[in-house]
Amino acid sequence: MLELVKNIFYPTQYMPHGHCYLWQTPLVWLHVTGDFLIAIAYFSIPMMLIYFVLKRRDVPFLGIFALFGAFIILCGTGHLLEIWTLWHSAYWLSGIEKALTALVSCYTAGQMVTLLPQFLSLRTPQELEEINRKLEAEILVKKQARLELRRAYDDLEIKVQERTSQLSETNKCLEMEIRERQQAELKLRSVTERLQYLLATTPAVIFSCQIGGNYDVTFVSENIFSMIGYEAQEFMNGSLNWYSLIHPEDRENVSNLFAQILEKESISYEYRERHKDGSYRWIYDEVKLVKDAAGLPMECVGYAVDITARKQAEITLQQQLKRERLVNSIQERIRSSLNLEEVLTMAVEEVRDFLATDRTVIYRFNPNWSGFIAVESVAKNTMPILGIDINDNCFREHYVSVYEQGHIRAIDNIYTAGLSECHLNLLSQFEIKANLVVPILQGEKLWGLLIAHHCRSQRHWNSSEIESLQQISVQLAIAIQQSILFEQAKTEIHERKLAELALQKAVLAADRANRAKSEFLSSMSHELRTPLNAILGFSQVMVRDSSLNNQHQQHLQIINRAGEHLLSLINDILEMSKIEAGRTQLNESSFNLIRLLETLEEMFRLKAKSKKLLLNFEVAEGVPHFVKGDDGKLRQVLINLIGNAIKFTDTGSVTLRVKNQVETSLTVQTADFRLPKTITTDTVSLKSASPEFDAVNMNYIPPVSLRVNFEIEDTGAGIAPEEMNKLFQPFEQTKTGYKSQEGTGLGLPISRNFVKMMGGDISVKSTVGLGSKFSFDIEFRLADPSDVKMLKPQKKVISLAADQPEYRILVVDDRPDNCLVIVRLLSPLGMIVREARNGQEAIAIWEEWQPHLIWMDMQMPVMNGYEATRLIKAHPLGKKTMIVALTASAFEEERKTILAAGCDDFMRKPFEANILFSIMEELLGIKYIYEEPLEEKIENENTISVPASTLSVESQLSQMPLDWVQKISDAAHECSDDKIVQLIDEIPREFDSFAKILTALAHDFLFDDIIELATSAVKDRQC
């Protein structure tokens, strides 16, 4: 095939056509150019014909145009082959092409012949013009008709749109109605399905029946089968009459109720209905009458519920209640009676009634396991067996061991229970057919048997009856034990009465001794405190005298310190006596714990510095500021322990640590301010931080309890192990204490008792030569800061403020010196003070003079302060007069008695002047002018001083002569304040502020500070 194609396009047996032209180039290219241009012309003509045909498909004779196009294309192709044969002798291909051209041209000629008549029949141009005119006229008519048709169509379209809109609205309404109907059908179907499901699954059977006649069933739900075993269809087709299934005893009641349904319109009843298996079920029915729109009865509808389980539960509950009543009745009789025979008799009566049996007995064993019928209860026509002794070896050998183990024997029929012949004969002797035997155990010992005999016939004992007798046997065992204990108690009571008589005599003697001791303490308190009141009172009066020189002031301070020391010793002795007499009590109040620690640090700071000891107060984070407890007793405990630590420590330090006992568990929010973790006398004094602690956080703190731990550690001599036992004994001291020749040996015993009262105890760890650690923890409740009474700083009152009324003060005391103390304190301030020696005089002066305030002594001759106060306060004008009690009693409970008598406040003798002024300020609203403290004076004077005041104390001291600085340093080492004052007089007037600071340091005995200043000045000179 490939060879054939090759011979057609590239034959080799012929000579190419170009040889005819002898391959003359001009001639060859002439033929090539001519044939190529002719071919291009031939190919362009069909293309234009094709374009024409595509554009004018309406022109007839399109086939002729296609034949002409094919003929012309073949002609063009022939010319192209003429060019090809110049070089290739493809004469076969050229011939084939010419043959195709001939065929197409002949076919075209033939078609022309056939189409020639049609060509001749074509219209002339004139005819075509005439036809065109007619066509144009027809077109115009058609346009007009089309325009009319368009108008009609537009009108029709408008009408169609209007009608379509109406139909759309109608369709929407129909669609909405259809949807509503579909939804209603869905709801109805859902409700129907739900109703069918409920009817099938609910435990209640739904039914309807006719009115009158046999009340034939017209409908009943399918779940009737689960209730009584019959199909619903059996009732509705009439094959089964529901009334015939009712228990014969209940039919009359059901019929009577149905007869009343037209009147009542609603009935309910309970009855028994026979199940298909033959058993009866308890059914509860509720039936209502249905009426039509006219109010005429139509049918009855109702529901039925199976209440068999409930009925059985009610029966069980009734039995249980009956059993509980039986047990409770026996328990009540046991509690109300100690007569054993009475209790046992009542028990057998109740048991026989409960079991509805013929005989109930209690059989009691003898020590040899023989026995007798102790009590019994028998029915009529039943043989009594009370008091019969039963000594049966057969019973003793076979059954005693069983009952000792607590086993119960319930025999329904003695003849079929497999009893031994000897035991069977014994039971038959007493006409017993069935019995129930429950052992009565007294601990592990078998005391007797509770037995129920059924003599008429056999008897089945159910579990409820057995359990009841078992419970009763337990109660009887309790009654037996109670009877035994009662007999023992009677013996013990007789012995106890004899002992109580002896004890009452001892108590009366002890009470007399305690009353005598209390009276002695009260008398001693009054007798000891009264002279001290005069001593300390007049020393305070004299201290206020500015005309006294420094030496006299120092003497008065010594008197005051000695008197306070004597008062503390008296307080210790009286406090110990109160503890022994049991008259000490806690006086809780809200206070600032941190403020209390601050005052203690200020109290012991100078004492520690004088011994060159480092005093540390370490307060852990989380320790609350405001707590509720007995701050007075806590203060006294800490003063005793810290004072002892400083007293018995010569070198090193004394440290007080305060922390929460379990800090991690404390989640209570405390105040925002905090003490420094460690406060020493060499750093910042607590006094400088006092304004912070007076701040009150108004956020409420809930009343949470917590324990706070206190540790007092020193580096003193320590305590020997053999002295530990007597450490807390009254009036006992260690060897170190005896050497100090201070104290009474009461501080630690009192402190320990106080700590115990506050819920803790003091523990001690000590190593001889290294020091001691006393620790205790007590319980506090967190307090609301607003409940804490803030104490004002103590300043010396020098006069009353301006624009104050003339205050009238009455002092009532049978001792003139006590009155004189208050007179000397108040009169210089401008108050009018009068005196009275007893309550009767006080009432007379009050009626005449109407004082603003009365200082009332409570123990006076003629009329005491209690009676005088009651009489004054009973008067209508008496409420305007403030009365403050003055007492030398050491007992805190007397405070309540005094306030109950009508006094407005309470002050114990000996008193401090600042407390007296504070009470008057609180009750009368008096305003005072206070003496400016020395530090403030120095500060104020320094701010107005000469330019030298801007220099530091050290710089001023460095300007003094070196020998003068050395002298003042030596005087400070000698602790000679007189020498220091003499040297201060030599300071130039331009250093007056510096002189005043040194004077203040000398008066406060701060010799260490003076030595440090002098040493610093000497070092500055050397530099």
Side-chain angles (χ1 to χ4, degrees):
M1 186 66 184
L2 182 63
E3 189 66 24
L4 178 62
V5 173
K6 187 177 180 180
N7 289 329
I8 291 175
F9 286 95
Y10 304 102
T12 56
Q13 63 270 30
Y14 305 111
M15 179 178 65
H17 186 62
H19 289 283
C20 297
Y21 307 114
L22 301 177
W23 296 105
Q24 294 181 5
T25 303
L27 183 59
V28 171
W29 282 108
L30 178 63
H31 281 273
V32 170
T33 303
D35 288 331
F36 181 74
L37 292 175
I38 292 170
I40 291 173
Y42 278 148
F43 286 140
S44 62
I45 292 171
M47 291 176 64
M48 286 185 287
L49 286 175
I50 291 169
Y51 179 76
F52 176 77
V53 170
L54 292 175
K55 292 294 184 180
R56 294 295 305 273
R57 292 183 181 275
D58 57 330
V59 176
F61 314 117
L62 292 179
I64 292 299
F65 285 104
L67 289 174
F68 270 110
F71 170 72
I72 295 171
I73 289 172
L74 289 172
C75 290
T77 304
H79 284 282
L80 290 177
L81 288 175
E82 287 295 327
I83 297 172
W84 178 258
T85 56
L86 287 176
W87 289 275
H88 304 284
S89 55
Y91 297 128
W92 281 103
L93 179 63
S94 177
I96 292 170
E97 189 275 334
K98 288 179 180 180
L100 289 173
T101 304
L103 289 173
V104 171
S105 59
C106 291
Y107 182 77
T108 303
Q111 289 293 322
M112 289 290 292
V113 171
T114 58
L115 293 174
L116 186 61
Q118 296 181 19
F119 293 157
L120 294 175
S121 65
L122 292 174
R123 302 282 185 182
T124 62
Q126 293 79 10
E127 291 175 345
L128 291 174
E129 185 176 357
E130 183 65 25
I131 292 171
N132 284 338
R133 281 197 299 270
K134 291 180 180 180
L135 288 173
E136 287 177 355
E138 291 178 359
I139 289 170
L140 181 60
V141 172
K142 287 183 178 180
K143 283 183 178 180
Q144 291 176 351
R146 189 175 296 161
L147 182 60
E148 294 295 328
L149 183 62
R150 171 62 61 184
R151 290 174 182 172
Y153 176 78
D154 290 342
D155 293 340
L156 180 62
E157 187 174 5
I158 292 171
K159 291 180 179 180
V160 169
Q161 287 178 352
E162 292 176 353
R163 183 60 179 166
T164 302
S165 176
Q166 294 176 356
L167 291 175
S168 297
E169 292 295 328
T170 304
N171 286 338
K172 287 180 181 179
C173 293
L174 291 174
E175 288 176 358
M176 186 177 298
E177 184 176 352
I178 290 170
R179 282 197 299 272
E180 290 176 353
R181 288 185 179 182
Q182 289 175 345
Q183 290 176 357
E185 289 176 358
L186 287 175
K187 289 182 179 178
L188 181 61
R189 188 181 299 112
S190 175
V191 170
T192 304
E193 292 175 354
R194 188 180 299 114
L195 180 60
Q196 291 175 350
Y197 174 77
L198 291 175
L199 290 175
T201 57
T202 183
V205 174
I206 310 299
F207 65 87
S208 63
C209 62
Q210 296 176 354
I211 301 174
N214 294 327
Y215 298 98
D216 294 332
V217 175
T218 57
F219 170 80
V220 64
S221 56
E222 296 293 335
N223 56 348
I224 185 69
F225 178 79
S226 61
M227 180 180 288
I228 58 174
Y230 294 101
E231 298 290 345
Q233 196 62 33
E234 295 181 62
F235 291 95
M236 289 187 288
N237 61 17
S239 61
L240 186 63
N241 183 7
W242 68 274
Y243 188 76
S244 64
L245 300 178
I246 299 176
H247 194 282
E249 296 178 0
D250 300 330
R251 289 177 184 174
E252 183 179 357
N253 181 46
V254 173
S255 298
N256 293 336
L257 289 171
F258 264 96
Q260 301 172 11
I261 194 166
L262 292 175
E263 178 183 352
K264 293 185 176 180
E265 297 187 0
S266 177
I267 59 174
S268 60
Y269 49 88
E270 296 177 357
Y271 64 99
R272 285 163 289 178
E273 192 166 22
R274 190 176 70 249
H275 194 275
K276 194 172 185 179
D277 60 7
S279 62
Y280 278 95
R281 304 289 177 89
W282 276 99
I283 308 297
Y284 170 79
D285 283 1
E286 187 167 331
V287 185
K288 290 188 177 182
L289 183 67
V290 179
K291 297 181 179 180
D292 59 12
L296 298 176
M298 293 175 57
E299 63 176 352
C300 297
V301 297
Y303 68 90
V305 181
D306 188 345
I307 60 171
T308 304
R310 193 193 79 189
K311 281 292 185 178
Q312 292 175 350
E314 287 177 356
I315 294 171
T316 304
L317 182 60
Q318 288 174 357
Q319 292 177 347
Q320 183 178 353
L321 290 174
K322 189 175 180 182
R323 183 179 69 209
E324 289 179 356
R325 283 195 214 101
L326 172 63
V327 175
N328 291 337
S329 175
I330 295 174
Q331 286 178 341
E332 185 64 30
R333 180 58 63 88
I334 291 171
R335 283 193 292 266
S336 62
S337 175
L338 294 174
N339 188 329
L340 180 60
E341 184 177 357
E342 181 183 342
V343 172
L344 296 180
T345 303
M346 183 276 300
V348 294
E349 291 286 348
E350 294 285 350
V351 169
R352 189 178 68 82
D353 181 65
F354 171 69
L355 296 178
T357 189
D358 300 315
R359 184 193 299 122
T360 304
V361 302
I362 291 179
Y363 176 79
R364 181 171 181 180
F365 287 102
N366 294 319
N368 61 356
W369 296 115
S370 63
F372 61 95
I373 304 298
V375 291
E376 77 168 347
S377 174
V378 294
K380 290 182 179 180
N381 303 323
T382 302
M383 180 179 69
I385 58 175
L386 179 64
I388 296 178
D389 291 331
I390 300 175
N391 187 6
D392 183 44
N393 293 330
C394 178
F395 174 78
R396 184 163 56 244
E397 291 175 3
H398 295 90
Y399 300 105
V400 168
S401 60
V402 175
Y403 294 131
E404 278 186 316
Q405 297 174 9
H407 293 300
I408 299 171
R409 287 180 63 85
I411 301 175
D412 297 343
N413 186 348
I414 64 172
Y415 299 105
T416 60
L419 300 176
S420 61
E421 185 176 354
C422 59
H423 190 49
L424 186 61
N425 293 333
L426 177 64
L427 295 179
S428 300
Q429 179 183 349
F430 300 126
E431 302 177 350
I432 299 171
K433 302 293 190 303
N435 72 342
L436 176 59
V437 184
V438 179
I440 302 174
L441 297 173
Q442 186 182 358
E444 296 182 356
K445 180 182 176 182
L446 180 61
W447 182 89
L449 302 173
L450 174 60
I451 308 172
H453 292 158
H454 204 71
C455 304
R456 288 167 291 174
S457 61
Q458 302 172 10
R459 166 73 180 266
H460 173 69
W461 309 99
N462 57 48
S463 59
S464 175
E465 293 170 337
I466 295 172
E467 289 176 5
S468 299
L469 256 67
Q470 191 174 15
Q471 291 181 3
I472 292 169
S473 71
V474 172
Q475 297 300 322
L476 292 177
I478 294 173
I480 294 165
Q481 183 65 27
Q482 182 174 290
S483 176
I484 294 171
L485 293 175
F486 175 66
E487 294 298 329
Q488 295 175 353
K490 286 196 295 186
T491 304
E492 292 177 0
I493 287 170
H494 178 69
E495 296 175 352
R496 190 176 298 170
K497 284 182 178 179
L498 297 176
E500 285 178 355
L501 289 174
L503 181 60
Q504 286 175 1
K505 294 178 181 179
V507 169
L508 290 174
D511 287 342
R512 285 195 295 269
N514 281 336
R515 282 195 298 271
K517 188 173 184 178
S518 297
E519 291 171 1
F520 170 75
L521 289 175
S522 179
S523 176
M524 285 297 296
S525 174
H526 188 271
E527 294 301 324
L528 292 173
R529 288 173 176 270
T530 299
L532 274 176
N533 183 58
I535 295 171
L536 294 176
F538 279 111
S539 67
Q540 292 180 78
V541 171
M542 295 176 70
V543 166
R544 300 173 62 82
D545 189 352
S546 58
S547 64
L548 295 177
N549 57 34
N550 291 336
Q551 186 176 8
H552 290 161
Q553 290 282 354
Q554 292 175 8
H555 293 165
L556 286 173
Q557 290 175 1
I558 293 171
I559 294 171
N560 211 14
R561 285 196 298 269
E564 289 176 353
H565 179 66
L566 179 58
L567 179 61
S568 66
L569 294 178
I570 294 170
N571 287 339
D572 284 347
I573 295 171
L574 293 174
E575 195 64 53
M576 198 67 218
S577 300
K578 286 198 296 181
I579 292 171
E580 291 175 350
R583 300 189 63 179
T584 302
Q585 58 186 10
L586 286 178
N587 298 293
E588 292 189 343
S589 62
S590 299
F591 67 96
N592 189 332
L593 176 60
I594 305 302
R595 167 64 73 186
L596 186 146
L597 298 176
E598 174 200 50
T599 57
L600 291 178
E601 193 276 338
E602 293 175 350
M603 178 186 299
F604 289 107
R605 179 177 56 195
L606 294 179
K607 191 172 183 180
K609 278 197 171 186
S610 67
K611 296 188 69 173
K612 299 183 180 179
L613 298 176
L614 186 64
L615 180 62
N616 299 323
F617 275 51
E618 298 177 2
V619 182
E621 291 186 3
V623 173
H625 285 245
F626 304 104
V627 296
K628 189 170 186 179
D630 194 330
D631 59 326
K633 289 183 174 56
L634 174 62
R635 178 186 178 90
Q636 187 170 345
V637 171
L638 292 176
I639 288 174
N640 284 336
L641 295 178
I642 298 173
N644 286 346
I646 294 175
K647 184 196 307 181
F648 300 122
T649 302
D650 296 327
T651 59
S653 64
V654 173
T655 302
L656 168 64
R657 299 185 185 91
V658 185
K659 62 182 178 180
N660 294 327
Q661 188 175 14
V662 185
E663 291 186 34
T664 57
S665 67
L666 183 63
T667 58
V668 180
Q669 180 181 0
T670 58
D672 292 334
F673 41 81
R674 287 283 186 270
L675 267 177
K677 288 187 178 180
T678 302
I679 303 170
T680 70
T681 55
D682 291 342
T683 60
V684 181
S685 171
L686 282 172
K687 186 176 182 180
S688 63
S690 60
E692 298 179 30
F693 302 122
D694 285 337
V696 175
N697 181 5
M698 296 310 293
N699 294 328
Y700 176 71
I701 300 176
V704 178
S705 296
L706 75 161
R707 298 190 73 84
V708 178
N709 180 267
F710 297 85
E711 287 183 0
I712 297 90
E713 185 175 7
D714 62 63
T715 58
I719 304 168
E722 61 272 13
E723 295 181 318
M724 285 289 188
N725 293 331
K726 61 180 182 179
L727 197 61
F728 294 101
Q729 297 298 322
F731 304 105
E732 293 285 349
Q733 288 185 305
T734 62
K735 291 180 180 179
T736 307
Y738 283 122
K739 290 179 182 178
S740 68
Q741 297 182 352
E742 295 182 25
T744 59
L746 293 176
L748 287 178
I750 291 173
S751 297
R752 188 174 201 177
N753 276 282
F754 283 174
V755 171
K756 286 182 177 180
M757 291 177 67
M758 291 185 283
D761 197 3
I762 297 178
S763 61
V764 186
K765 294 180 181 179
S766 182
T767 303
V768 177
L770 296 180
S772 304
K773 181 193 291 186
F774 288 76
S775 62
F776 63 92
D777 58 87
I778 56 178
E779 185 173 349
F780 291 118
R781 283 178 294 163
L782 296 182
D784 189 343
S786 61
D787 293 338
V788 177
K789 201 171 185 180
M790 296 300 174
L791 296 178
K792 296 183 178 180
Q794 299 180 3
K795 298 180 182 179
K796 182 179 178 181
V797 176
I798 58 176
S799 65
L800 296 180
D803 300 327
Q804 300 242 37
E806 189 177 52
Y807 290 103
R808 299 181 299 278
I809 309 298
L810 175 61
V811 183
V812 185
D813 200 314
D814 59 322
R815 293 179 179 267
D817 49 359
N818 288 339
C819 290
L820 187 59
V821 172
I822 299 179
V823 171
R824 293 293 172 85
L825 286 172
L826 301 182
S827 295
L829 302 181
M831 300 183 191
I832 302 175
V833 186
R834 294 181 63 176
E835 301 178 34
R837 292 291 173 261
N838 55 58
Q840 191 172 353
E841 291 184 18
I843 293 174
I845 295 174
W846 172 78
E847 292 176 346
E848 171 195 352
W849 195 43
Q850 291 295 313
H852 294 93
L853 185 142
I854 300 174
W855 292 100
M856 181 77 72
D857 184 28
M858 306 311 290
Q859 300 293 338
M860 295 180 294
V862 184
M863 180 185 289
N864 61 29
Y866 297 99
E867 185 64 24
T869 300
R870 277 192 287 268
L871 292 174
I872 293 173
K873 288 294 186 180
H875 196 279
L877 298 177
K879 300 190 183 301
K880 297 181 180 180
T881 302
M882 301 291 106
I883 300 178
V884 182
L886 289 170
T887 178
S889 173
F891 296 105
E892 186 63 30
E893 58 265 29
E894 189 172 347
R895 179 189 187 96
K896 297 179 181 178
T897 306
I898 290 171
L899 296 178
C903 293
D904 298 288
D905 209 336
F906 172 96
M907 188 169 71
R908 184 177 283 113
K909 295 185 289 188
F911 57 83
E912 295 181 16
N914 62 308
I915 296 177
L916 180 141
F917 291 132
S918 177
I919 291 175
M920 294 181 67
E921 179 182 12
E922 182 178 352
L923 295 179
L924 299 180
I926 299 176
K927 296 180 181 179
Y928 304 110
I929 297 176
Y930 298 95
E931 182 182 39
E932 191 174 12
L934 180 61
E935 293 83 353
E936 295 181 10
K937 284 183 180 180
I938 294 173
E939 182 181 353
N940 293 337
E941 292 173 4
N942 287 341
T943 56
I944 309 173
S945 180
V946 292
S949 63
T950 59
L951 300 175
S952 66
V953 176
E954 290 84 353
S955 63
Q956 294 181 37
L957 184 58
S958 63
Q959 297 181 30
M960 297 297 293
L962 188 59
D963 58 343
W964 184 90
V965 175
Q966 189 62 45
K967 287 179 182 179
I968 202 166
S969 177
D970 295 340
H973 277 97
E974 296 173 4
C975 298
S976 176
D977 54 335
D978 292 336
K979 289 184 179 181
I980 294 174
V981 172
Q982 292 175 4
L983 290 169
I984 290 173
D985 292 338
E986 300 177 8
I987 297 176
R989 293 186 62 182
E990 59 266 23
F991 296 153
D992 188 44
S993 61
F994 162 59
K996 290 180 179 179
I997 293 175
L998 286 180
T999 302
L1001 294 174
H1003 285 165
D1004 287 341
F1005 306 105
L1006 299 178
F1007 301 118
D1008 288 341
D1009 293 348
I1010 297 174
I1011 293 171
E1012 289 178 7
L1013 290 172
T1015 303
S1016 176
V1018 173
K1019 288 181 180 178
D1020 291 342
R1021 290 285 186 88
Q1022 292 175 352
C1023 294

